[in-house]
Amino acid sequence: MMRVVSLLAAATEMIAELGCVDQLVGCSHECDYPAEIRQLPVVSKTLIDTNTSSAEIDVQVKQAATICNVPQTNALAALSVYTIDAQLLQRLQPDVIVTQTQCDVCAVSQEDVELALQQTIGLRPRIVALAPYDLQDVWQNVLLIGEALEREALARSLVDGYQRRLTRLKEQTQLLVQQAGYKPRVAVLEWLDPLMGAGNWTPDLVGYAGGENLFGTSGAHSPWINWEEFAAADPDVIVLAPCGYTLERTQQDIPLLQQHPGWQNLQAVKQGRVYAIDGNAYINRSGPRLVESAELLARAIWGSQLNIDVIADAYQQITN
């Protein structure tokens, strides 16, 4: 049986969907789903203080990105947002390590990771490096992990199921668009202080949900936006899904928006069409639960007009 270490929460979920939880011998500090993986050895930790304000977290991340541009002799030393426990990896003896090269904050190439592992712990595991930019990339990643774990047929079946479910959702939302005579204009915010739109796969999800995405382009990194742009766009629906934040953590930052002088003048705020979604578990995580993410977005956009069940504790309507 293969010994697998996952350094990406989304990959851990894919591995679980493929029925290979028993092959996981270690995971990252961000891996939290499904519940049975929470007892695994944790091989990474963050160097960012996440128990502070959104603005201060943003400063730390930007400083880390600057550090990453400085040449490093050891690729592991360049990972300034998180560190890997090389000694623990050596004890775990993984055959496969799943990581990612998508995020701009300290994105390390597959070759760099392989070299660093060889130099540091003397192992030569297979590195499966994921780079999900849009929704199709995410499904390709499921197939890539399925191939690495010798579960190709199941991976194809899973992806077919995800796509069929999204197609059914789109059929419903297209009917609602036809009935309404327009597509609601949707702003999904991936960070609240400063404001950031949601790019990568999120515009794809908004499309399935029957909305017009205002900030962010499919396949491109999430854009920073200013309050003037935000107010000028005046969205019909606002969805708050800060990267890495649970629903409870997002609720703590909502006053940052409510205290801004332009917030109360926004159409979505006046009409009570502001929602928070658990971004850490859903919108931000490039794994199988992006299907549920699209359904949650559709519920935020269409409310009770949408005739499907969604995960009730994953979203909340925000009132002033």
Side-chain angles (χ1 to χ4, degrees):
M1 186 169 65
M2 288 188 214
R3 298 175 63 81
V4 183
V5 167
S6 172
L7 298 177
L8 186 66
T12 300
E13 295 192 23
M14 294 176 187
I15 292 165
E17 287 274 281
L18 288 164
C20 296
V21 167
D22 59 337
Q23 297 185 35
L24 279 167
V25 296
C27 62
S28 81
H29 60 285
E30 294 182 331
C31 297
D32 57 8
Y33 185 89
E36 55 262 37
I37 63 92
R38 294 177 187 168
Q39 303 304 315
L40 289 173
V42 176
V43 301
S44 67
K45 67 177 181 179
T46 182
L47 298 181
I48 296 292
D49 179 9
T50 58
N51 297 314
T52 186
S53 70
S54 293
E56 290 171 347
I57 292 172
D58 177 63
V59 169
Q60 293 179 72
V61 171
K62 288 176 178 174
Q63 288 175 341
T66 301
I67 293 170
C68 283
N69 291 325
V70 177
Q72 304 277 346
T73 57
N74 185 325
L76 288 181
L79 298 173
S80 56
V81 170
Y82 65 91
T83 60
I84 297 173
D85 187 334
Q87 291 184 343
L88 177 56
L89 269 185
Q90 191 169 36
R91 293 198 299 272
L92 294 175
Q93 294 285 305
D95 302 302
V96 177
I97 297 177
V98 186
T99 185
Q100 62 92 26
T101 59
Q102 187 265 352
C103 183
D104 262 352
V105 180
C106 302
V108 180
S109 72
Q110 180 176 349
E111 291 77 15
D112 284 343
V113 174
E114 289 173 341
L115 178 61
L117 288 168
Q118 183 179 350
Q119 290 175 342
T120 307
I121 60 178
L123 299 179
R124 298 180 67 89
R126 175 177 178 179
I127 306 297
V128 180
L130 309 183
Y133 288 93
D134 60 18
L135 192 58
Q136 188 58 36
D137 288 340
V138 176
W139 305 146
Q140 287 299 319
N141 287 343
V142 175
L143 298 177
L144 182 60
I145 294 177
E147 181 272 326
L149 301 184
E150 300 178 351
R151 298 291 179 96
E152 297 99 323
L154 178 55
R156 287 194 296 270
S157 177
L158 287 171
V159 170
D160 287 345
Y162 303 146
Q163 293 176 327
R164 284 196 302 271
R165 189 166 160 187
L166 286 171
T167 297
R168 289 195 297 270
L169 176 66
K170 190 170 185 177
E171 290 170 353
Q172 288 194 44
T173 59
Q174 283 181 331
L175 287 175
L176 293 172
V177 168
Q178 291 173 5
Q179 293 168 8
Y182 77 106
K183 279 188 177 183
R185 298 160 60 254
V186 182
V188 181
L189 296 181
E190 195 168 285
W191 203 248
L192 308 187
D193 186 22
L195 297 179
M196 175 186 273
N200 297 308
W201 48 82
T202 302
D204 300 328
L205 301 180
V206 173
Y208 279 108
E212 176 189 343
N213 191 68
L214 290 179
F215 301 106
T217 303
S218 176
H221 284 307
S222 301
W224 297 107
I225 55 180
N226 59 47
W227 272 95
E228 290 72 22
E229 292 175 281
F230 191 53
D234 200 13
D236 298 312
V237 179
I238 298 172
V239 176
L240 315 177
C243 186
Y245 276 19
T246 63
L247 190 57
E248 292 74 21
R249 181 63 180 86
T250 299
Q251 290 166 344
Q252 294 176 28
D253 275 13
I254 291 173
L256 296 173
L257 301 174
Q258 295 173 331
Q259 291 164 10
H260 193 278
W263 178 253
Q264 300 297 334
N265 296 324
L266 294 170
Q267 179 177 227
V269 176
K270 291 179 179 178
Q271 296 181 356
R273 302 186 72 185
V274 180
Y275 294 84
I277 291 177
D278 186 335
N280 180 59
Y282 296 96
I283 304 293
N284 315 140
R285 189 170 294 190
S286 55
R289 287 190 289 174
L290 288 183
V291 176
E292 284 88 345
S293 300
E295 294 169 347
L296 288 165
L297 286 168
R299 174 54 55 85
I301 295 169
W302 299 106
S304 60
Q305 296 179 72
L306 186 72
N307 187 28
I308 62 170
D309 293 326
V310 298
I311 302 163
D313 60 0
Y315 79 106
Q316 183 180 38
Q317 185 176 12
I318 305 303
T319 57
N320 295 330

